[in-house]
């Protein structure tokens, strides 16, 4: 009986395997006919008609556009059975590609992932539009092609503003053309209405200037190069660009050529805002290093002597005073990121001398730094957690610190200069451990909030010894 049972099992398994083989037999779908255009313009949506057959259910029909052996675009046509299907394939508008041959690959695939393909040659040409439209908040302006430059368009007008955020609209061209927009800070086709080109020029508002655009190279004008106080930054490397130049106290500083400047942090220690969008340079006359950081979106401003960052000169009381900070006299449970610019979260100093922050030298031995609570400075509203600040005479070291005397503190919340205002907000302490090289620190008081978004001004008078620290609220 056992032998018969095993035999029956073997026969059953063989039958099942045979049945499976019958069920998953291979079938390859086919493309029996297709129809599309022989010539297309960039920006077209070209019709594609395809007839397919196959015994098994289909999965998709895919039309892929290639030029110079590079995939440029792809369109999926939903399909579930044999028949004729129609769709349109976008011929993308791409810069710096010459007119010439291309190909469309048509592929039909069934649910067993078997497929067939056909390659269709096509000739692609860049259109020469009769005009473009510059679309601005002040109205639309017609851009005409320039003589002898069939892909370059321009309009000259007395635009109401020298900062002209605009889109450029291309009209539908030819039988299968589409209207579309050029836009974006780096300029590409098929932009959205929100993605404008940041044209900008130095002119009096309302004066005449020319806006131009090349539909082959995507080069446009006018643009201002990123600059600080009229001095252009060189090219950015790893999101950083540096200028080193002489600046004067109260000099007017324009920040130009940065499209998203509204999102940048402007250092209040060195720059105070004017109603017209410019800034006043607060620091004393001298040479400064200005580092534009595109990643952190701020300008790091540091005093220099010659070709090096400035150290403090104890005789003349000039040069640089540098601040660092982090955990104060009490670690507690708060995050360790407690001081830094443009923010303690994005760029914490953490008592790292490479992160020393320059105070603004105001002259006569006075130095100042402005810190906004809950942005650059920890609020200190967590029990057992404080932030400490120390002041150093060297640009990238924690070895040479200033002895300190806290001569004016703040009491209570939001803060008053007299003790009648309540409990103190800051205290003069000695740091624990070796994070600040044993320097005296100005430490917040545990569980005494500074008030979110309040600006605290730390003023250091180096003419006296120990250096006098005054803390005020702006």
């Amino acid at each position: 009986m056992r032998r018969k049972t095993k035999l029956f099992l073997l026969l059953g398994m063989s039958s099942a395997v045979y049945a499976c083989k019958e069920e998953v037999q291979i079938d390859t779908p086919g493309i029996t006919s297709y129809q599309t255009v022989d010539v297309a313009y960039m920006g077209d949506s070209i019709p594609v008609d395809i007839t397919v057959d196959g015994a098994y259910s289909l999965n998709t029909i895919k039309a892929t556009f290639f030029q110079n052996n590079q995939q440029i675009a792809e369109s999926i046509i939903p399909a579930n059975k044999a028949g004729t299907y129609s769709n349109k394939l976008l011929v993308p508008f791409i810069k710096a590609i010459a007119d010439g041959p291309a190909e469309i690959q048509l592929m039909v695939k069934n649910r067993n992932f078997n497929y067939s393909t056909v390659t269709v040659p096509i000739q692609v040409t860049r259109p020469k539009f009769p005009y473009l439209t510059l679309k601005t908040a002040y109205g639309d302006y017609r851009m005409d092609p320039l003589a002898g430059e069939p892909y370059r368009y321009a309009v000259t007008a007395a635009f109401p503003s020298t900062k002209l955020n605009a889109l450029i609209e291309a009209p539908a061209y030819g039988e299968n053309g589409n209207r579309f927009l050029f836009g974006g800070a780096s300029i590409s086709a098929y932009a959205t209405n929100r993605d404008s080109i940041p044209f900008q020029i130095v002119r009096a508002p309302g004066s005449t200037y020319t806006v131009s655009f090349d539909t082959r190279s995507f080069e446009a004008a006018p643009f201002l190069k990123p600059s600080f106080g009229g001095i252009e930054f060189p090219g950015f490397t790893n999101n950083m660009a540096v200028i080193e130049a002489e600046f004067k106290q109260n000099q007017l500083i324009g920040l130009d050529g940065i499209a998203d400047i509204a999102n940048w942090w402007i250092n209040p220690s060195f720059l105070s805002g004017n109603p017209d969008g410019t800034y006043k340079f607060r620091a004393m006359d001298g040479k400064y290093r200005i580092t534009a950081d595109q990643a952190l979106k701020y300008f790091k401003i540091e005093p220099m002597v010659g070709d090096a960052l400035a150290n403090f000169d104890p005789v003349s009381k000039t040069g640089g005073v540098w601040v660092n900070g982090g955990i104060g006299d009490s670690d507690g449970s708060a995050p360790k990121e407690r001081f830094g610019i443009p923010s303690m979260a994005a760029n914490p100093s953490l008592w790292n001398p490479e992160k020393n922050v320059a105070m603004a030298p105001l002259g006569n031995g006075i130095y100042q730094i402005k810190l906004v609570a809950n942005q650059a400075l920890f609020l200190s509203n967590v029990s057992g957690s404080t932030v400490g600040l120390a002041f150093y005479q060297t640009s990238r070291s924690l070895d040479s610190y200033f002895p300190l005397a806290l001569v004016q503190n703040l009491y209570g919340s939001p803060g008053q200069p007299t003790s009648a205002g309540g409990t103190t907000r800051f205290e003069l302490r000695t740091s624990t451990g070796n994070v600040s090289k044993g320097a005296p620190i100005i430490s917040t008081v545990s569980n005494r909030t500074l008030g979110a978004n309040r600006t605290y001004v730390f003023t250091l008078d180096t003419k006296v010894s120990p250096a006098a620290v005054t803390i005020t609220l702006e």
Side-chain angles (χ1 to χ4, degrees):
M1 289 298 292
R2 286 183 180 178
R3 288 181 180 178
K4 288 183 178 180
T5 302
K6 289 180 179 179
L7 180 61
F8 288 144
L9 287 172
L10 288 171
L11 288 173
M13 291 172 63
S14 298
S15 298
V17 170
Y18 180 77
C20 289
K21 287 183 178 178
E22 283 290 309
E23 188 174 334
V24 296
Q25 61 182 316
I26 296 175
D27 174 78
T28 300
I31 298 172
T32 59
S33 66
Y34 60 86
Q35 185 175 358
T36 188
V37 297
D38 298 324
V39 176
Y41 293 106
M42 293 182 189
D44 280 1
S45 289
I46 57 175
V48 177
D49 299 323
I50 181 169
T51 300
V52 296
D53 63 8
Y56 285 89
S57 297
L58 300 182
N59 189 335
T60 57
I61 300 171
K62 183 164 64 174
T64 307
F65 181 83
F66 291 89
Q67 191 168 20
N68 297 329
N69 295 318
Q70 179 182 358
Q71 180 176 322
I72 302 298
E74 186 175 271
S75 179
I76 301 296
I77 306 172
N80 54 21
K81 61 182 179 180
T84 300
Y85 295 87
S86 299
N87 205 347
K88 289 191 173 183
L89 177 64
L90 176 67
V91 182
F93 204 103
I94 299 174
K95 71 177 180 180
I97 291 182
D99 298 348
E103 60 184 33
I104 299 172
Q105 184 188 82
L106 302 175
M107 182 179 73
V108 58
K109 183 170 61 175
N110 67 16
R111 297 186 184 279
N112 289 337
F113 301 102
N114 301 314
Y115 64 92
S116 295
T117 61
V118 171
T119 298
V120 183
I122 186 173
Q123 187 76 16
V124 175
T125 303
R126 188 179 301 273
K128 297 177 181 178
F129 300 107
Y131 65 92
L132 299 175
T133 302
L134 183 72
K135 304 181 75 66
T136 78
Y138 313 105
D140 293 351
Y141 299 81
R142 180 185 172 103
M143 303 180 73
D144 292 311
L146 299 181
E149 300 183 74
Y151 300 106
R152 190 162 175 246
Y153 299 77
V155 57
T156 300
F159 297 103
S161 175
T162 58
K163 292 185 178 181
L164 193 70
N165 292 328
L167 291 160
I168 296 175
E169 183 180 72
Y173 189 88
E175 183 180 350
N176 300 307
N178 299 295
R179 287 193 307 168
F180 61 92
L181 298 171
F182 296 97
S186 57
I187 308 185
S188 62
Y190 313 106
T192 68
N193 285 329
R194 296 180 180 180
D195 197 14
S196 57
I197 303 171
F199 292 108
Q200 189 176 1
I201 194 170
V202 177
R203 289 284 193 282
S207 61
T208 297
Y209 61 93
T210 299
V211 175
S212 65
F213 178 65
D214 190 308
T215 60
R216 179 167 50 189
S217 65
F218 288 15
E219 294 177 354
F223 292 124
L224 291 185
K225 291 184 178 180
S227 66
F228 184 98
I231 302 173
E232 291 184 356
F233 286 98
F236 282 78
T237 302
N238 297 325
N239 289 315
M240 299 279 196
V242 177
I243 58 175
E244 296 176 353
E246 297 283 339
F247 294 92
K248 293 186 176 297
Q249 196 165 40
N250 298 321
Q251 178 181 336
L252 192 69
I253 301 293
L255 306 176
D256 295 312
I258 298 177
D260 61 344
I261 190 62
N263 300 324
W264 283 49
W265 179 82
I266 306 302
N267 192 332
S269 304
F270 284 87
L271 300 171
S272 60
N274 295 318
D276 63 356
T278 61
Y279 295 86
K280 181 176 70 174
F281 195 74
R282 300 183 68 243
M284 64 185 296
D285 297 3
K287 186 177 180 181
Y288 292 84
R289 176 181 295 171
I290 315 295
T291 304
D293 188 325
Q294 289 181 320
L296 292 176
K297 297 186 184 301
Y298 85 114
F299 298 97
K300 181 165 62 175
I301 306 175
E302 300 172 301
M304 301 184 70
V305 172
D307 294 329
L309 293 176
N311 294 326
F312 180 71
D313 185 335
V315 177
S316 64
K317 312 301 181 187
T318 60
V321 172
W322 304 85
V323 183
N324 209 304
I327 294 171
D329 63 316
S330 181
D331 189 345
S333 58
K336 300 186 185 303
E337 296 79 8
R338 301 182 189 181
F339 164 72
I341 65 166
S343 77
M344 58 185 178
N347 191 33
S349 290
L350 300 173
W351 296 114
N352 175 359
E354 294 299 317
K355 297 288 188 74
N356 281 359
V357 176
M359 299 185 80
L362 302 184
N364 196 30
I366 304 297
Y367 294 78
Q368 200 171 81
I369 187 170
K370 298 183 179 184
L371 302 174
V372 179
N374 208 38
Q375 296 178 31
L377 188 66
F378 173 56
L379 279 175
S380 191
N381 59 345
V382 178
S383 181
S385 303
T386 63
V387 56
L389 301 176
F391 303 83
Y392 298 93
Q393 301 184 32
T394 48
S395 62
R396 293 293 183 262
S397 171
L398 303 185
D399 292 331
S400 182
Y401 54 79
F402 283 91
L404 299 178
L406 183 54
V407 299
Q408 181 177 316
N409 201 352
L410 290 173
Y411 299 84
S413 182
Q416 297 181 21
T418 65
S419 59
T423 54
T424 182
R425 302 291 104 175
F426 298 91
E427 293 178 341
L428 180 59
R429 299 275 190 175
T430 299
S431 63
T432 57
N434 61 356
V435 290
S436 62
K437 301 291 186 180
I441 60 172
I442 304 298
S443 178
T444 54
V445 178
S446 172
N447 206 29
R448 296 289 185 268
T449 182
L450 299 181
N453 304 320
R454 298 185 184 278
T455 299
Y456 287 83
V457 182
F458 296 80
T459 303
L460 187 74
D461 185 350
T462 64
K463 300 189 303 299
V464 296
S465 184
V469 179
T470 299
I471 305 173
T472 56
L473 261 174
E474 189 170 78

